[in-house]
Amino acid sequence: MAEHEYEAKFLAIDVEMLRGKIRNAGAKQVFPKSMFTRLIFENDAVQGEQWLRLRDEGGKTTLTLKQVSDATHIGGTTEIEIEVSDLEKTAELLKAVGLRQVRYQQNYREEWQIGGITYDFDTWPDLPTFLEVEGPSEEAVRAAVANLGLDYTEARFGSIDLIYKSEANRDILAEPTLLFSEQ
């Protein structure tokens, strides 16, 4: 059964200050800054604001059906997620049943958790690091955001392509790869 995601993104943040507040609140670091890779699959049945994401989360691989019904609201995204054991074999299976891999993307994520709230510092190519706050309900996310001193009216919802569109005027849905350039 699809579950609502309750997550809010905050751009233009002071990463060190917020990391300190989260740590001082007693949150535990789930993992340090780690590279994530994601393969996005679509077909004629999975279209519009719905897609399959196969993601290597640095030791754990998940397959998720994501659907955005309202990108302006915290409860506007649903997902069905399972853990899979092998990224390459899962990608092969998805292609064998007719799905097309349309994008390959990288980002970095650092994750902290406390009391049912997950704090992710996400870094994407050519964007400043931002904070994503996820919880079991809108109320829980609002409370966590208030505890950090962030303004909930500044929250952004929906998928990363909307952030690229507004902040960098880029349509990453038209880009087959979204990678960090070699330093």
Side-chain angles (χ1 to χ4, degrees), residues 8 18 36-37 40 59 61 63 67 70 72 78 81 97 101 103 106 113 131-133 168-169 176:
L18 285 173
F36 279 27
T37 57
I40 306 298
T61 303
L63 178 64
Q67 180 154 10
D70 181 358
T72 66
T78 56
E81 184 170 275
V97 298
Q101 181 186 321
R103 288 184 289 289
Q106 295 176 326
Q113 286 183 348
L131 178 65
E132 186 176 90
V133 181
N169 196 28

Side-chain angles (χ1 to χ4, degrees), residues 148-167:
L148 290 178
L150 294 171
D151 180 353
Y152 190 80
T153 65
E154 299 288 310
R156 301 286 295 276
F157 312 107
S159 52
I160 188 66
D161 58 289
L162 300 173
I163 305 290
Y164 272 96
K165 191 65 117 184
S166 68
E167 302 307 303

